[in-house]
Amino acid sequence: MSRVYNFSAGPAVLPEEVLKEAADEMLDYKGSGMSVMEMSHRSKVYDGIIKEAEADLRELMNIPDNYKVLFLQGGASQQFAMIPMNLMKNRKAAYIVTGQWAKKAYQEAKIYGDAVEVASSADKTFSYIPDCSDLPISPDADYVYICENNTIYGTKYKTLPNTKGKTLVADVSSCFLSEPVDVSKYGIIYGGVQKNIGPAGMVIVIIREDLITEDVLPGTPTMLTYKTHADAGSLYNTPNAYCIYVCGKVFKWLKAMGGLEEMKKRNEEKAKILYDYLDQSKMFHGTVVAEDRSLMNVPFVTGDKDMDAKFVKEATAAGLVNLKGHRTVGGMRASIYNAMPKEGVEALVAFMKKFEEENA
């Protein structure tokens, strides 16, 4: 069977070259006589894998020396608790709620202290990014939290909020490595890897060193303290070893493609093909205000639930899979991450045109 075009929001499409390489090495990694899946995380061979992965990520993102890179388990959702546990010294934090994941993070933070929703786009079903130039941020807030790209709703911050000098914490799960980023603007920038980087089951946390302390909230488990993992080079316990290995291959693939500047160019080009069609279509329309559109996740609807369902069914039969929108919003969503080739987006648009003609 030939491979489909997979528009899933995550776990998502991975570069074919990476999958082939991993397949070639499945039984014997570089003459070790075993798979990375069976290898001790304390072995010399594995030490090379994790160190090289970190070095390549640092190079790709131009990560300053005073930031640690942590490969952790629990996905992005575990960070919703880990962040306040480690950062909420004054028990106060500001949250900007632009979708379901920001809302979940905000609700989790309320368990640990006074989390304040300083802006939200819930009034228009999270279809835009609120103005964050002058937010009511408390002078004793420990940090300001955002979800930078909203996977479900298809919005993306084009300008980071004015945090009034407070530490910025950002969940970048669905836009990770899709474009260049100035890491120094963030205290913590983190993301689950299963959307744009690797297999599910891991989160990468890039954290400024001054935020890694023993001064955490009372009762914080050892495993949920950043210092535990930073001091042990992400090897305090058995990490998600195979996932780190695949992510390392994706970092090499990104470097070979020309790095994040080149990815941004490609992603803009791909997104334009789809948005241009949506803007002129009589049947399909996008759900996000133009200036806040994500390059990674493109939600769209026909306005008729039955027609939406028919479209998803016929698209699936045509090898364009996982286009059903998130259960909370319905409609359709095309996730067009780094590994989605331009041909995939072109095939989707061609199918949408045909469907529109046949169902007009």
Side-chain angles (χ1 to χ4, degrees):
M1 159 159 185
S2 64
R3 274 173 67 78
V4 294
Y5 286 121
N6 177 14
F7 293 95
S8 168
V13 61
L14 282 164
E16 251 179 67
E17 297 96 302
V18 168
L19 295 174
K20 282 176 179 156
E21 237 178 72
D24 288 343
E25 294 172 350
M26 180 51 88
L27 294 177
D28 177 13
Y29 176 74
K30 295 194 172 168
S32 65
M34 61 180 127
S35 172
V36 174
M37 225 178 250
E38 335 170 81
M39 194 177 279
S40 164
H41 61 296
R42 304 281 178 207
S43 67
K44 201 170 173 202
V45 182
Y46 192 75
D47 190 56
I49 291 173
I50 190 169
K51 286 200 168 118
E52 202 168 318
E54 180 180 335
D56 284 337
L57 180 62
R58 283 186 173 278
E59 188 185 325
L60 273 170
M61 291 182 74
N62 202 10
I63 299 172
D65 291 343
N66 65 323
Y67 283 74
K68 291 270 193 212
V69 173
L70 309 177
F71 298 110
L72 306 178
Q73 293 169 67
S77 296
Q78 180 121 296
Q79 294 304 307
F80 299 168
M82 207 162 164
I83 287 157
M85 282 175 168
N86 285 265
L87 264 55
M88 242 192 206
K89 318 288 186 202
N90 301 323
R91 302 277 181 137
K92 230 186 189 124
Y95 278 71
I96 302 167
V97 179
T98 51
Q100 187 165 316
W101 303 114
K103 188 177 175 184
K104 284 189 171 176
Y106 162 62
Q107 287 166 336
E108 190 79 5
K110 286 204 280 195
I111 298 168
Y112 302 99
D114 183 13
V116 182
E117 186 182 296
V118 291
S120 169
S121 52
D123 62 329
K124 292 185 179 164
T125 332
F126 301 121
S127 58
Y128 71 103
I129 297 290
D131 176 9
C132 299
S133 57
D134 187 18
L135 300 165
I137 297 165
S138 164
D140 56 353
D142 293 300
Y143 60 88
V144 177
Y145 183 101
I146 62 169
C147 179
E148 198 163 314
N149 187 90
N150 297 283
T151 324
I152 295 174
Y153 300 95
T155 56
K156 162 83 164 72
Y157 284 78
K158 303 293 163 74
T159 308
L160 292 175
N162 172 7
T163 64
K164 304 195 171 164
K166 303 300 174 192
T167 297
L168 179 64
V169 175
D171 173 354
V172 295
S173 294
S174 50
C175 59
F176 220 156
L177 301 183
S178 63
E179 57 182 46
V181 56
D182 181 356
V183 174
S184 68
K185 289 183 174 171
Y186 305 82
I188 295 180
I189 180 168
Y190 79 91
V193 300
Q194 74 279 10
K195 297 172 184 297
N196 218 14
I197 305 175
M202 195 172 76
V203 58
I204 296 174
V205 176
I206 300 161
I207 177 170
R208 208 172 59 227
E209 283 175 353
D210 62 284
L211 299 173
I212 304 168
T213 65
E214 281 166 352
D215 175 24
V216 296
L217 296 191
T220 298
T222 305
M223 277 292 288
L224 294 185
T225 303
Y226 288 125
K227 194 170 187 340
T228 299
H229 301 285
D231 288 353
S234 299
L235 294 168
Y236 173 74
N237 67 324
T238 311
N240 193 334
Y242 195 78
C243 185
I244 292 167
Y245 155 78
V246 178
C247 290
K249 288 202 173 299
V250 173
F251 301 154
K252 291 230 177 290
W253 176 78
L254 285 165
K255 282 170 68 176
M257 297 291 269
L260 302 191
E261 290 284 354
E262 176 60 25
M263 286 328 291
K264 183 181 191 207
K265 215 164 77 190
R266 285 167 183 249
N267 289 327
E268 285 173 342
E269 194 186 339
K270 283 190 303 192
K272 187 178 189 309
I273 294 167
L274 184 47
Y275 284 125
D276 281 356
Y277 170 66
L278 288 171
D279 287 343
Q280 58 86 47
S281 168
K282 302 262 190 295
M283 175 178 276
F284 299 101
H285 55 271
T287 56
V288 174
V289 301
E291 62 270 23
D292 297 330
R293 285 170 167 174
S294 165
L295 294 179
M296 298 284 101
N297 311 98
V298 184
F300 57 96
V301 294
T302 64
D304 176 338
K305 278 183 180 163
D306 294 338
M307 191 63 83
D308 287 353
K310 184 181 187 209
F311 173 80
V312 170
K313 190 180 175 193
E314 291 183 14
T316 304
L320 305 162
V321 307
N322 294 317
L323 282 163
K324 192 174 180 201
H326 191 272
R327 61 186 182 278
T328 56
V329 289
M332 283 74 67
R333 170 182 53 183
S335 293
I336 49 176
Y337 298 124
N338 286 344
M340 172 59 67
K342 184 177 159 189
E343 296 76 36
V345 183
E346 288 168 341
L348 172 61
V349 169
F351 180 81
M352 289 167 79
K353 282 180 179 164
K354 181 170 162 280
F355 184 89
E356 183 166 359
E357 281 162 19
E358 288 168 2
N359 294 276

